[in-house]
């Protein structure tokens, strides 16, 4: 059964990824992605792309991560999969931080922390990352060289080539 195999591959990818082997994780995620595409399972396609992007960030392969983020967000946004889109934005925040854009990353994380479509298990992860980055959970007062972002702006940035 292709569906079960894809699920198993996603689990193997997550296991490899969590055990410090993001390249191995990507291999499994990519195989699962092919199955999900064949099955027409759009939400799972987005999930696989998000996992691949996270593993790419951890490997320092920012070009591949950016590509996976763009493709996953385009599909999630087009299909109105808002909870999946917020996960993609979460990964984009991690991407921004990894590429040296700490302030923007923190603004993106605060945006999705407050968004009603963000899954409850993502909020503590955001809080932990912001604390790790030395960034406040709430926006700083105006005049503190701090710019907040809005959802449409973030999505447009993610979809930009």
């Amino acid at each position: 059964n292709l569906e079960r195999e894809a699920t198993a591959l996603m689990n193997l990818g997550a296991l490899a990824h969590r055990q410090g082997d993001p390249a191995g994780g990507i291999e499994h995620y990519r195989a699962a992605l092919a199955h999900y595409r064949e099955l027409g399972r759009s939400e799972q396609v987005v999930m696989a792309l998000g996992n691949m992007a996270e593993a790419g960030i951890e490997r320092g392969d920012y070009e591949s991560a950016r590509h996976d983020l763009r493709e996953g967000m385009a599909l999630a946004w087009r299909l109105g999969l808002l909870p999946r889109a917020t996960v993609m934005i979460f990964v984009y925040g991690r991407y921004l931080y990894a590429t040296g854009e700490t302030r923007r990353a923190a603004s993106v994380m605060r945006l999705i922390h407050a968004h009603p479509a963000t899954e409850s298990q993502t909020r503590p992860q955001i809080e932990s990352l912001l604390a790790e980055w030395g960034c406040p959970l709430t926006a700083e007062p105006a005049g503190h060289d701090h710019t907040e972002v809005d959802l449409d702006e973030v999505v447009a940035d993610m979809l930009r080539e």
Side-chain angles (χ1 to χ4, degrees):
N1 178 313
L2 204 54
E3 180 85 31
R4 284 191 196 135
E5 188 175 327
T7 300
L9 287 164
M10 285 289 278
N11 290 334
L12 288 170
L15 181 62
H17 189 174
R18 283 192 200 112
Q19 290 183 334
D21 181 13
I26 288 172
E27 276 184 51
H28 292 299
Y29 295 145
R30 188 171 286 123
L33 175 64
H35 290 337
Y36 287 137
R37 283 187 168 141
E38 186 177 333
L39 292 164
R41 300 291 306 270
S42 298
E43 189 165 354
Q44 284 73 21
V45 166
V46 173
M47 288 172 54
L49 288 164
N51 289 350
M52 289 169 56
E54 273 197 286
I57 292 164
E58 288 177 28
R59 287 182 60 202
D61 185 355
Y62 303 125
E63 187 176 328
S64 291
R66 185 78 173 90
H67 176 269
D68 294 334
L69 281 167
R70 187 179 309 114
E71 184 181 349
M73 183 52 138
L75 181 59
W77 200 247
R78 189 178 78 242
L79 297 177
L81 301 171
L82 212 46
R84 290 290 122 224
T86 63
V87 171
M88 295 304 289
I89 295 170
F90 170 79
V91 177
Y92 181 60
R94 293 191 62 218
Y95 165 85
L96 290 170
Y97 180 79
T99 58
E101 296 185 54
T102 303
R103 284 193 175 128
R104 182 147 178 84
S107 294
V108 166
M109 291 298 196
R110 283 191 287 270
L111 170 73
I112 59 166
H113 186 273
H115 198 283
T118 298
E119 296 172 342
S120 61
Q121 69 268 22
T122 304
R123 286 190 175 89
Q125 294 174 2
I126 293 167
E127 293 162 10
S128 176
L129 283 174
L130 286 172
E132 181 183 314
W133 299 345
C135 299
L137 180 57
T138 56
E140 297 174 24
H144 282 80
D145 193 29
H146 186 81
T147 307
E148 290 306 303
V149 294
D150 67 34
L151 185 62
D152 290 334
E153 175 189 345
V154 172
V155 172
D157 284 349
M158 289 180 73
L159 297 179
R160 194 169 293 123
E161 291 293 324

